[in-house]
Amino acid sequence: MNIEMKGINKAFGSNQVLKNAGFVLKDGEVHALMGENGAGKSTLMKILTGVYTRDAGTVLVDGKEVVYKTPQEAEKAGIVFIYQELNVLFDLTVEENLFMGKEITKKFGICDRKAMRRKAQEVMDKMGVNIPINAVMSDLSVGQQQMVEICKALMVDAKVLIMDEPTAALTQSETEGLFKLIKSLREKGVSIVYISHRMEEIFELCDRITVLRDGTYVGTEYIKDINMDDIVRMMIGREIGERFPKREGVKIGKEMLRVEGLTKEKTFENVSFSVKAGEVLGVSGLMGAGRTEIMQAIFGNLPFESGKVFIEGNEVKIRNARDAIKAGIGFITEDRKTEGLLLEKSISDNISLANLGKISSKSVISGSKEKELANKGITEFRIKCFGPDHECGNLSGGNQQKVVFAKWVYTDPKILILDEPTRGVDIGAKKEIYSVINDLAAKGVAVIMVSSELPEVLGMSDRIMVVREGHITGIIDAAEADQEKVMTLATGGTL
Amino acid sequence: MGNTAATTLNKKSWTSYIGEYAAFIALVLLVVVISIISPEFRTAGNFLNLLRQATFNGLIAFGMTCVILSDGIDLSVGSTLALSAVICAELIMKGCPAILAMLVALVAGTLLGAVSGLLVTKGRLQPFIATLVTMTAYRGLAMIITDGKPISRLADNIASSGNEFAFKLVGKGNFCGIPIPAILLIFALVVFFFVLNKTTFGRKVYATGSNAKCAKLVGVNITKTKIIVYAISGFMSALTGLILISRLDSAQPTLGDGYELDAIAAVALGGTSMSGGRGKITGTIAGVLIIAVLNNGMNLLEVSTYYQDVIKAVVILVAVLSDRKR
């Protein structure tokens, strides 16, 4: 199926989100759609699939002008959008999710479970995913839920698949499975629009790339003709310089945190490591290796059976987040939306909540101090917003993450744990977050950074700790580390 | 997601201001309309009367607002009111000084509320179920204590005149011509406004209801916050109970039956989100007054009680629907 979108305009109220945006999708290609957060990628795709209506412009499908009024209409035409946010019913089974709204029925509308089970298994096998079809969704990992979402799209005979950050929550092997599938779909003539921030994936998978910037079409190129720097330049309209800014004038000081023999049955075992002041310890490993759980345990949010935690040489008992904060630990969780922010509250409210002691005396909040702190956060972290009252749910991913950083940094932590600090954040904001991490290290904060993006771990860390199936399989100096060594340790090999 | 930043630009449009003050606008319209139709309605005496009537629902609705803001609900307010009122009355009949008896009732109400909070937090029951349990249990206890009969002529059983004065003052007293219950209502409004908007505790209540997971990770003690919120609700119910028995000069185990529904209606009318985190105490007072004006106005206009309920339901529905459009 050929799709051509030309001169698309779209405004929400007074905000022009798309002006003269567009792209051309050819039969049987994997087409990357890139741009910073807020560049209009998702909006453009939502216009194609009938989620939004366009203010101006034309959409030609196989040469004929079309307007899909609802996503269902687009789906009937063979255009399926797999959203970034999971769209699953958590209390139902895999099979029920796959057939939601399009159940195979016998006479009198009775569900033909046998036929559905057969077809579901067929699709799952074709994809090479191994998820029991009678499993309840909420029992699956986020990665598995995502795979079910993708399978759901394949239940319909899709001619065009739009994937928005499909690998954000997938493990390495699931990602490989997905890529294999995308490639085989391409051979069958299915066109794929692939939205992702991960450069490595774009180069591995895509044939062509279209870049949007500030809602406007910038250009389309064949992947084989360009390199990463070209793409970044197209995306931000200027040179970005070093991807990972250099950390300067950092002295690595005394030991701030030491963990000895931390163990939780079936989750992690005998975990021991330490971090020093001014040091960034990268934590690598596959999804589900237990990295997040280890950090949650240290922060007191996940009880563990045995092991000791020392801060500045003294053993501490941390039973909950309050104890951890008192002990000087900050924790930026991997899930910004459900754990990191009060989305319906303002920037000011969010920063204040972690710093109530600072802005109040005798439990009474000082309005001026609160405003001062929020404004300080907005300036220091360069949060793009209308002011302290801007609702966090309306900020872009990068700016949301900056709010999370601001609220934790002002608690003056001695140790800051970052879990996937740049997930879902665009390149420009990523670099700003890296600078923040460097500044914190320069101030003598001990930083632990859990990340699934290998280049980030390699580029930002002083040392890298690799976790596999709840065990530490190695701690290597960044100077000696490379992608291969880390992957070897993460997948169970030895150096 | 490209579109999210976009929607904010129209954030402070005029429609959102209307949404914010919808309850007040509705209240003013209602007062104006009824004033035009009924000359009786627009007398000073009636307004004081109306304010007194609003007190019972108002005090309970303030506590309810806190509970709902924390993502809970308190169905036990009516039963808590009855049980603490009955405890107070029983103590008075046993010769306990009235002031002491009233204090005991307030403490009892607070503890009864805290029990709901414990069931919700430590017992991990859903607020609806937890307070359904306490609602049923407290009503039963009130029946057991009184053997199902009203305790009457309380004032006559108070020995000292000081105590008698205090007991009567709560429900029947006046200060500069304003009924004491109305003064209590205004005082409570100021206190709740201050606590919810200006104190760290208020922030914790909003944060708990908005996203408990997130609040917990920045060190908010969710368990403590929730227990306190239910305790506040219990205290307010007990206080309302004292005003009621002072006015009636008797305590019945059936007091406060159905009060939880009026309180929830007032909170909803005031624009507070039933899933917590969003809402204002000023909205709640508007909601309370709307219900009071409706009741009062329809009585003056001699609308049949059967129609009154239907009209009330329609008003609540319209108010909540228009609030959702924001």
Side-chain angles (χ1 to χ4, degrees), chain A residues 410-461:
Chain A
Y410 293 146
T411 64
D412 301 319
K414 288 183 269 190
I415 301 145
L416 189 58
I417 304 172
L418 313 173
D419 197 354
E420 305 286 358
T422 63
R423 173 180 287 172
V425 166
D426 62 74
I427 286 210
K430 254 186 191 172
K431 205 179 160 191
E432 288 178 88
I433 286 172
Y434 295 144
S435 299
V436 170
I437 295 173
N438 285 344
D439 290 347
L440 288 169
K443 277 186 207 144
V445 177
V447 178
I448 303 173
M449 185 182 76
V450 178
S451 172
S452 296
E453 283 189 54
L454 266 180
E456 175 174 289
V457 173
L458 291 164
M460 288 298 297
S461 316

Side-chain angles (χ1 to χ4, degrees), chain A residues 15 52 338 345 365 370 394, chain B residues 3 6 8 198 203 211 277:
Chain A
N15 189 11
Y52 298 143
T338 64
K345 296 284 163 196
I365 291 171
E370 173 168 36
N394 291 333
Chain B
N3 56 309
T8 51
K198 301 284 176 197
R203 289 307 166 89
N211 184 347

Side-chain angles (χ1 to χ4, degrees), chain A residues 12 15 17 42 52 164 301 321-322 325 333 338-339 341 344-345 353 363 365 370 386 389-391 394 408, chain B residues 1-6 8-11 198-200 203 206-207 210-211 214 216-219 221 277-278:
Chain A
F12 292 103
N15 189 11
V17 187
S42 304
Y52 298 143
D164 194 355
N301 206 31
R322 260 168 294 136
I325 293 165
T333 56
T338 64
E339 294 178 338
L341 282 175
E344 56 181 6
K345 296 284 163 196
L353 188 63
S363 294
I365 291 171
E370 173 168 36
F386 298 106
D389 293 332
H390 198 131
E391 208 176 289
N394 291 333
W408 280 111
Chain B
M1 303 252 82
N3 56 309
T4 43
T8 51
L9 267 179
N10 11 358
K11 190 179 128 198
K198 301 284 176 197
T199 67
T200 54
R203 289 307 166 89
Y206 278 99
S210 180
N211 184 347
C214 171
K216 193 177 156 203
L217 282 173
V218 291
N221 190 336
R278 255 178 209 270

Side-chain angles (χ1 to χ4, degrees), chain A residues 3-29:
Chain A
I3 294 176
E4 190 177 353
M5 298 181 80
K6 271 192 305 199
I8 307 287
N9 287 357
K10 175 75 188 171
F12 292 103
S14 56
N15 189 11
Q16 192 74 29
V17 187
L18 295 179
K19 33 184 189 284
N20 199 21
F23 88 121
V24 177
L25 181 70
K26 289 199 253 180
D27 230 1
E29 71 166 346

